[in-house]
Amino acid sequence: MTTARRERPAETGTPIIEVRAISKIYAGGVEALNDISLEVPRGKLTTLLGPSGCGKTTLLKIIAGLIPATSGEVLVSGRPVTGPGPDRAFVFQDFALMPWASVLRNVAFGLELRGVSRSERDEVARRHIAEVGLAGFEDRHPHELSGGMRQRVGLARALAVDADVLLMDEPFSSVDEQTRRKFQEDMLGLLSAHGKTVLFVTHSIEEAVYLSDRIVLLSRRPSRVAQVIEPEIRRGDDPEAIRRHPAYLDTVETIWQGLKRYLD
Amino acid sequence: MTEVTPSLGSRKTGIRPARLQRNRLADLAIHPLTLRLATALILFSAWEYAGRLPVSPAFPGFVETMIAFADMAKDGSLLSALLITLQPLVAGLAISAVVGIGLGVAMGISRFTEWLIAPPFIVMQAAPMAALIPLLVFAYGIGLASKILTVCIMAMPVIVLNSYLAIRQTPASLIEMGRSFLGSRAQIILKIMLPSASPVIFAGLRLGAAAGFIGAILAELLITPTGIGDLITYNQSIAEYPKMYAAIFSVIALSVLFIEGLGKIEAAIFRREGRKA
Ligand SMILES: Nc1ncnc2c1ncn2[C@@H]1O[C@H](COP(=O)(O)OP(=O)(O)O)[C@@H](O)[C@H]1O
Ligand SMILES: [Mg+2]
């Protein structure tokens, strides 16, 4: 990749997101989150893992500033979140692509909303489209793409605004198995090349262990932080070797045991 | 969870069982144009048959009507009548489109405007609006204004309600996407809600245009006979029934062509996006 890498502050590992005692009760009385506190280290990939309906999306949207918390606060780079900001970019589970717009316009849309000139934003968008492996599809419309390709468009759009933090909600859930592995590997490469901080939601244990530096295990609703796990897996190895590595298998097993307690 | 399933995943790749090879003739037989021509042929034959029975001495057959149509087209009376009818129609439709879409969108984006103006339009769509024509005449006289307003009260409700529902149906995740990428409210309305709503708004325009044609003819029959309405009432009064039906035919044909034309524009705009109106 020939992308210019931005200089990052050296403090990789210090918390960039701090979630402090967040609770969320939806209008109607559904208690989604109960006193959640967690930290997301800068430049790392952190996963929110938990059973379906436990409030993962809710927490991610609160961090994104899309919905308010009932109590508690979220700090991003030390500043309290009051709404969406340029420091965070969201990758949506259902892609949230505009069906009437081309891939190019969809990817450039974040920049368009910021008033970046046409030529400049198109150039940036083309670069990120190529990066996620969609060069040549710039003028297609979303309905002409597969689920995996649409999700890549969503990822390119989030990369194009160059936010520090990517918030990704189950980005692989609608992608078939073969595509998913390839996509996961591509994404790992891409994100480490850009030095992004990623907070990533999944309900797949294997996916969490394979991808993340830190796993935050959430219990059933109203969810709390059940456990924080940091898989000791060397990245950069052959992906298949990682999946056979004892440390990988052990971690999967530990999490599975931890989760089982909440599944009854 | 991440076992590699030997996926027979044609679901995603769009491979379908091989289509049976249809023969050319069958393809031609179900072509939309063939179907339409067949419908027209059946309709016109039935008309001609009914005219020859005759159902009533005041009901000419298709051929007789077409001859009268050709005569009136030749002597220019049809064209000049259509041009007169088109005046309140075009003005009324233009006003209905602009005001109707404006009101509908306003209702779609604001709870307050919805509360304020949705109820009357819901009533208007359900009520027989033609009953209001005498009231319009009382208030605005028998001139062009009343006729334009007749077109408006017929065309506007469906345009307003379609626009309103279309805006309301903008996928929540697209709006959330706009907010998360720091779009202002105006940007979200202009760049997300309006494009998302446009196929349904367009469909509302098409329905509104059809209702507007009815309004224009009603106005000419009920307020003062002008244009096509005049041709219909005049030829009826002198028992020139073929001409009367030719006038009716001309306005129906114009309406069908106009609405087909709108449909074509719609298809051209939205086909590329893979959206149906
Ligand atoms: N807008 C909402 N209003 C009311 N309840 C909601 C809303 N969104 C989500 N919920 C509820 O909150 C709980 C958590 O939802 P969500 O965060 O989507 O879970 P997850 O992403 O972990 O599957 C669920 O029980 C869901 O039904
Ligand atoms: Mg979710």
Side-chain angles (χ1 to χ4, degrees):
Chain A
M1 302 286 147
T2 50
T3 323
R5 289 178 198 179
R6 270 221 324 212
E7 287 307 316
R8 292 280 156 191
E11 61 219 92
T12 298
T14 60
I16 184 166
I17 299 176
E18 293 159 76
V19 175
R20 291 189 182 156
I22 287 285
S23 295
K24 174 71 184 178
I25 302 172
Y26 278 109
V30 177
E31 194 180 0
L33 304 171
N34 177 16
D35 193 22
I36 300 257
S37 295
L38 57 92
E39 288 180 350
V40 176
R42 186 184 294 274
K44 301 261 166 111
L45 202 153
T46 302
T47 299
L48 289 175
L49 176 65
S52 276
C54 77
K56 304 182 293 295
T57 300
T58 303
L59 180 54
L60 206 62
K61 284 185 178 169
I62 290 173
I63 294 171
L66 288 170
I67 54 177
T70 307
S71 64
E73 66 172 353
V74 176
L75 304 180
V76 175
S77 304
R79 284 182 301 275
V81 166
T82 53
D87 46 4
R88 285 152 289 149
F90 208 97
V91 178
F92 292 84
Q93 180 169 11
D94 66 353
F95 323 126
L97 301 181
M98 302 177 293
W100 58 87
S102 66
V103 167
L104 184 65
R105 176 145 187 250
N106 268 294
V107 172
F109 195 63
L111 298 171
E112 180 180 337
L113 291 179
R114 271 161 227 203
V116 175
S117 77
R118 178 78 183 261
S119 57
E120 194 181 335
R121 65 180 193 247
D122 281 359
E123 191 211 311
V124 174
R126 278 178 202 286
R127 207 168 67 224
H128 290 286
I129 290 169
E131 244 181 356
V132 298
L134 288 178
F137 288 89
E138 289 84 353
D139 295 326
R140 299 297 185 85
H141 280 73
H143 71 101
E144 300 172 284
L145 308 179
S146 69
M149 292 160 92
R150 288 181 208 180
Q151 195 51 275
R152 284 167 189 263
V153 175
L155 177 60
R157 176 177 59 195
L159 288 172
V161 294
D162 198 22
D164 297 326
V165 182
L166 290 189
L167 304 169
M168 306 179 81
D169 193 1
E170 305 206 28
F172 305 121
S173 59
S174 48
V175 176
D176 59 63
E177 202 63 47
Q178 290 84 344
T179 321
R180 184 182 311 178
R181 291 233 170 158
K182 173 85 170 65
F183 193 177
Q184 286 171 350
E185 268 133 39
D186 290 356
M187 197 189 74
L188 275 182
L190 201 56
L191 294 173
S192 67
H194 283 282
K196 299 286 184 202
T197 302
V198 181
L199 182 59
F200 177 94
V201 163
T202 182
H203 59 251
S204 158
I205 300 175
E206 282 86 352
E207 188 168 283
V209 177
Y210 177 64
L211 289 173
S212 16
D213 300 302
R214 172 180 289 191
I215 300 170
V216 177
L217 205 60
L218 298 178
S219 68
R220 293 211 121 175
R221 196 161 60 76
S223 68
R224 326 179 101 257
V225 175
Q227 215 175 342
V228 177
I229 295 159
E230 305 209 333
E232 299 290 326
I233 295 169
R234 273 173 298 122
R235 315 249 167 246
D237 283 1
D238 159 36
E240 289 313 311
I242 292 179
R243 287 195 164 94
R244 282 193 301 271
H245 200 278
Y248 170 83
L249 296 171
D250 280 352
T251 316
V252 170
E253 184 57 24
T254 312
I255 295 177
W256 178 234
Q257 292 304 333
L259 264 184
K260 257 203 310 209
R261 272 183 286 146
Y262 302 101
L263 288 182
D264 312 303
Chain B
M1 258 169 252
T2 38
E3 291 318 307
V4 182
T5 42
S7 167
L8 301 169
S10 53
R11 195 162 41 95
K12 289 272 154 60
T13 52
I15 299 164
R16 297 219 181 80
R19 261 242 186 101
L20 290 174
Q21 196 76 33
R22 280 213 201 80
N23 71 43
R24 280 267 179 81
L25 211 62
D27 266 346
L28 198 65
I30 61 155
H31 190 277
L33 196 65
T34 323
L35 288 179
R36 265 183 225 180
L37 286 176
T39 312
L41 197 70
I42 292 169
L43 200 70
F44 293 149
S45 309
W47 180 358
E48 181 62 21
Y49 177 73
R52 283 182 192 212
L53 267 177
V55 173
S56 141
F59 187 72
F62 176 65
V63 174
E64 213 182 334
T65 306
M66 285 303 111
I67 292 169
F69 183 87
D71 285 347
M72 291 162 81
K74 233 179 288 164
D75 68 18
S77 58
L78 200 54
L79 185 68
S80 61
L82 277 176
L83 285 179
I84 291 171
T85 302
L86 279 175
Q87 287 169 16
L89 180 62
V90 168
L93 282 183
I95 294 170
S96 301
V98 173
V99 177
I101 294 176
L103 286 179
V105 170
M107 278 156 63
I109 60 182
S110 136
R111 292 276 164 194
F112 176 71
T113 15
E114 178 193 11
W115 172 83
L116 195 68
I117 54 189
F121 279 102
I122 290 169
V123 172
M124 277 169 81
Q125 205 193 15
M129 294 307 286
L132 290 188
I133 293 176
L135 213 62
L136 288 178
V137 173
F138 180 72
Y140 299 99
I142 56 168
L144 193 60
S146 283
K147 290 179 181 166
I148 292 176
L149 282 173
T150 307
V151 172
C152 287
I153 60 172
M154 297 294 291
M156 208 169 330
V158 68
I159 297 177
V160 171
L161 292 179
N162 264 51
S163 309
Y164 155 63
L165 293 175
I167 291 284
R168 267 295 144 80
Q169 279 161 10
T170 310
S173 77
L174 282 186
I175 296 173
E176 225 161 35
M177 183 276 290
R179 289 211 293 129
S180 83
F181 286 100
L182 309 179
S184 65
R185 186 159 160 76
Q187 282 178 320
I188 288 172
I189 292 168
L190 289 175
K191 291 174 188 279
I192 295 176
M193 293 175 128
L194 276 179
S196 164
S198 54
V200 177
I201 292 180
F202 232 100
L205 277 181
R206 199 154 28 87
L207 295 172
F213 268 88
I214 297 171
I217 297 303
L218 272 182
E220 288 186 337
L221 292 175
L222 296 178
I223 301 177
T224 38
T226 49
I228 293 293
D230 181 36
L231 280 185
I232 294 172
T233 36
Y234 174 70
N235 285 305
Q236 185 188 23
S237 70
I238 61 167
E240 274 277 9
Y241 296 117
K243 284 195 169 179
M244 171 187 156
Y245 278 88
I248 297 173
F249 178 82
S250 71
V251 73
I252 293 175
L254 184 68
S255 168
V256 169
L257 286 178
F258 184 79
I259 287 155
E260 283 276 296
L262 275 184
K264 286 272 189 302
I265 296 174
E266 225 173 305
I269 298 175
F270 301 118
R271 190 188 302 120
R272 176 149 166 62
E273 303 167 3
R275 299 198 290 173
K276 304 187 287 292

